[in-house]
Amino acid sequence: MLVLTRRSNESIMVNDDIEISILSIDGDQVKLGIKAPREVEIHRKEIYLQIQKENKEALNLPGELLSLLQKNK
């Protein structure tokens, strides 16, 4: 893990197209701003993990149920 120290109004760059800025620091909370291309998905980790869990569960659906769901699209 790379650990960086940044102050309010400072940024880091990821590749050439993602900028993560420190907008404010209030006690133990840090407000981040993220500039990235629209096609880059950005989620809080707990949301990302929930999406991964639901995707994994969807792969385990019985074949008939999966085909019914696909017909309803």
Side-chain angles (χ1 to χ4, degrees):
M1 174 187 301
L2 173 64
V3 178
L4 300 171
T5 301
R6 299 277 71 202
R7 292 188 171 95
S8 191
N9 298 317
E10 294 182 336
S11 299
I12 62 170
M13 295 297 298
V14 179
N15 291 327
D16 292 328
D17 55 354
I18 299 173
E19 179 180 4
I20 302 171
S21 301
I22 308 301
L23 300 179
S24 66
I25 303 168
D26 185 16
D28 63 350
Q29 287 191 333
V30 177
K31 189 179 285 188
L32 301 174
I34 303 170
K35 290 182 188 175
R38 287 193 171 272
E39 62 270 11
V40 174
E41 291 187 22
I42 301 170
H43 302 285
R44 296 188 324 249
K45 185 173 182 179
E46 62 272 16
I47 300 298
Y48 173 80
L49 293 174
Q50 182 66 32
I51 291 168
Q52 294 301 310
K53 178 183 172 194
E54 290 174 5
N55 287 344
K56 185 175 180 182
E57 289 171 357
L59 289 174
N60 294 326
L61 287 174
E64 279 185 43
L65 182 56
L66 187 57
S67 66
L68 285 174
L69 290 172
Q70 289 174 340
K71 287 180 185 178
N72 290 330
K73 285 186 177 182

